[in-house]
């Protein structure tokens, strides 16, 4: 269902080329066709927090007609008091939630025989009725999820020791969810890089998400011009289940969803479709600016 790949730090810009972009934020207009190397002085920086989500976060706004280079990325890492990562880890999967990872074929394979037997014994059922079969699948999925969280926690601990960061693009994978579950259970917290286009149409068509991006951009300045002793505090209502119009998120939060892709009708209004992964530490947010504008 998912795998992990490594990528060079200089390849982040390529992740953003296929996403639709709105161009009607203040001073943010269509990009120049040529990609020139970005210098630190071309970027904008702000430090922020999200209410209800622990930890300080950093946002770097990058004009999308400029290319991210290793020297500039090294300067960004220094700005947030980190060394350049030795590698970036990226999950590759559908949006299938880790609580739904097993398939009928997988449950029938030889490697699952003992797990299926233990699950039947714990339920005192053979799975012969529809209800019993559904409960059996739920038990197997929960056990599988716990095993995956444990495995990903070991990966995160090793990454932390080796100065490896994780990378998330506009669409998350199972890896982000499993990492967050491992962190919440006390495993070491690997540094998480998130990259997206600030004017992705999915964000701009939602008032709450659009306002968050606007607030971030308006609080940002040229790196080095000031210290951010007091980070910008963003409201966390977008990720608050009790305030969500999405029925599954209102009930389960990030613990469950039923869709496997962003274009599935049931994904509409879910927070994973409306904003970059909020549990990141460093956000590279590309944007379009009008030629000659500051």
């Amino acid at each position: 269902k998912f795998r992990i790949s490594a990528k060079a730090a200089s390849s982040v810009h390529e992740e953003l080329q296929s996403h639709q972009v709105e161009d009607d934020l203040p001073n943010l207009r269509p990009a120049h066709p040529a990609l020139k190397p970005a210098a630190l002085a071309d970027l904008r920086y702000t430090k922020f927090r999200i209410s209800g989500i622990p930890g300080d976060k950093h946002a770097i706004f990058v004009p999308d007609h400029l290319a991210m280079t290793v020297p500039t990325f090294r300067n960004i890492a220094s700005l947030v008091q980190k060394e350049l990562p030795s590698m970036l880890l990226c999950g590759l999967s559908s949006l299938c939630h880790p609580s739904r990872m097993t398939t009928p074929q997988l449950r029938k394979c030889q490697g699952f025989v003992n797990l299926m037997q233990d699950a039947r014994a714990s339920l005192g059922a053979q799975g012969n009725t529809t209800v019993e079969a559904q409960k059996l699948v739920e038990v197997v999925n929960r056990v599988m999820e716990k095993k995956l969280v444990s495995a990903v926690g070991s990966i995160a601990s090793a990454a932390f020791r080796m100065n490896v960061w994780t990378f998330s693009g506009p669409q998350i994978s199972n890896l982000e969810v499993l990492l967050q579950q491992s962190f919440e259970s006390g495993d070491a917290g690997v540094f998480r890089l998130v990259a997206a286009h600030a004017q992705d149409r999915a964000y701009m068509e939602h008032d709450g998400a659009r306002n968050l991006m606007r607030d971030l951009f308006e609080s940002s300045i040229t790196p080095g011009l000031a210290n951010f002793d007091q980070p910008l505090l963003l409201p966390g209502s977008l990720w608050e289940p009790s305030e969500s119009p999405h029925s599954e998120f209102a009930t389960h939060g990030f613990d469950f969803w039923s869709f496997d892709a962003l274009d599935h009708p049931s994904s509409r209004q879910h927070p994973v479709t409306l904003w970059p992964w909020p549990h990141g530490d460093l956000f590279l947010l590309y944007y379009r600016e009008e030629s000659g504008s500051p």
Side-chain angles (χ1 to χ4, degrees):
K1 282 286 187 177
F2 82 92
R3 60 191 175 96
I4 298 174
S5 70
K7 60 174 74 251
S10 59
S11 68
V12 170
H13 188 274
E14 299 172 2
E15 298 289 332
L16 308 170
Q17 301 308 308
S18 63
H19 285 257
Q20 298 179 346
V21 172
E22 292 285 356
D23 59 3
D24 55 352
L25 285 184
N27 297 323
L28 310 182
R29 294 294 182 261
H32 300 285
L35 289 178
K36 300 177 181 179
L40 193 62
D42 297 317
L43 312 181
R44 299 174 66 93
Y45 167 75
T46 189
K47 187 176 182 180
F48 70 103
R49 293 175 180 170
I50 298 175
S51 179
I53 298 178
D56 290 344
K57 304 176 185 298
H58 309 271
I60 300 289
F61 285 90
V62 185
D64 68 359
H65 64 277
L66 301 178
M68 182 59 62
T69 63
V70 172
T72 300
F73 194 73
R74 181 180 290 109
N75 289 333
I76 291 173
S78 178
L79 181 67
V80 300
Q81 300 181 334
K82 301 289 290 185
E83 295 181 1
L84 193 69
S86 58
M87 184 169 58
L88 298 177
L89 292 181
C90 178
L92 301 175
S93 76
S94 71
L95 267 178
C96 177
H97 194 275
S99 63
R100 301 171 48 245
M101 291 287 276
T102 68
T103 63
Q105 295 80 5
L106 194 61
R107 293 190 291 271
K108 291 177 182 178
C109 75
Q110 185 64 32
F112 267 63
V113 170
N114 291 338
L115 176 56
M116 296 299 293
Q117 289 176 346
D118 291 344
R120 289 190 179 96
S122 69
L123 290 172
Q126 296 300 311
N128 296 326
T129 68
T130 301
V131 174
E132 289 179 347
Q134 183 177 354
K135 290 182 177 179
L136 184 63
V137 170
E138 290 175 356
V139 170
V140 172
N141 278 334
R142 283 200 298 269
V143 173
M144 183 67 171
E145 183 177 15
K146 290 179 180 178
K147 290 181 178 292
L148 287 171
V149 170
S150 177
V152 168
S154 298
I155 294 171
S157 297
F160 178 79
R161 293 192 300 270
M162 299 299 294
N163 189 33
V164 173
W165 299 2
T166 62
F167 170 79
S168 302
Q171 177 175 319
I172 65 168
S173 68
N174 309 135
L175 178 63
E176 285 83 355
V177 182
L178 292 166
L179 275 173
Q180 185 58 30
Q181 291 182 10
S182 76
F183 297 160
E184 291 172 356
S185 65
D187 290 329
V190 64
F191 194 78
R192 292 172 281 186
L193 170 67
V194 177
H197 203 292
Q199 295 146 289
D200 192 302
R201 184 166 295 171
Y203 312 153
M204 295 297 99
E205 291 181 348
H206 185 277
D207 290 341
R210 177 189 174 96
N211 290 338
L212 291 175
M213 281 297 181
R214 187 191 301 274
D215 290 346
L216 269 185
F217 185 81
E218 290 179 349
S219 73
S220 65
I221 60 172
T222 301
L225 291 184
N227 294 322
F228 286 83
D229 295 329
Q230 294 296 325
L232 172 70
L233 180 61
L234 293 179
S237 56
L238 187 65
W239 303 278
E240 175 53 54
S242 64
E243 300 185 37
S244 177
H246 192 278
S247 59
E248 285 183 348
F249 189 75
T251 303
H252 304 287
F254 285 117
D255 292 336
F256 174 84
W257 58 72
S258 61
F259 52 89
D260 292 350
L262 288 177
D263 59 358
H264 193 280
S266 64
S267 72
R268 185 171 177 80
Q269 296 296 309
H270 194 284
V272 297
T273 71
L274 300 177
W275 221 73
W277 184 238
H279 297 289
D281 300 297
L282 171 61
F283 293 74
L284 291 183
L285 300 172
Y286 287 79
Y287 70 98
R288 291 185 175 180
E289 62 180 352
E290 188 175 41
S291 179
S293 65

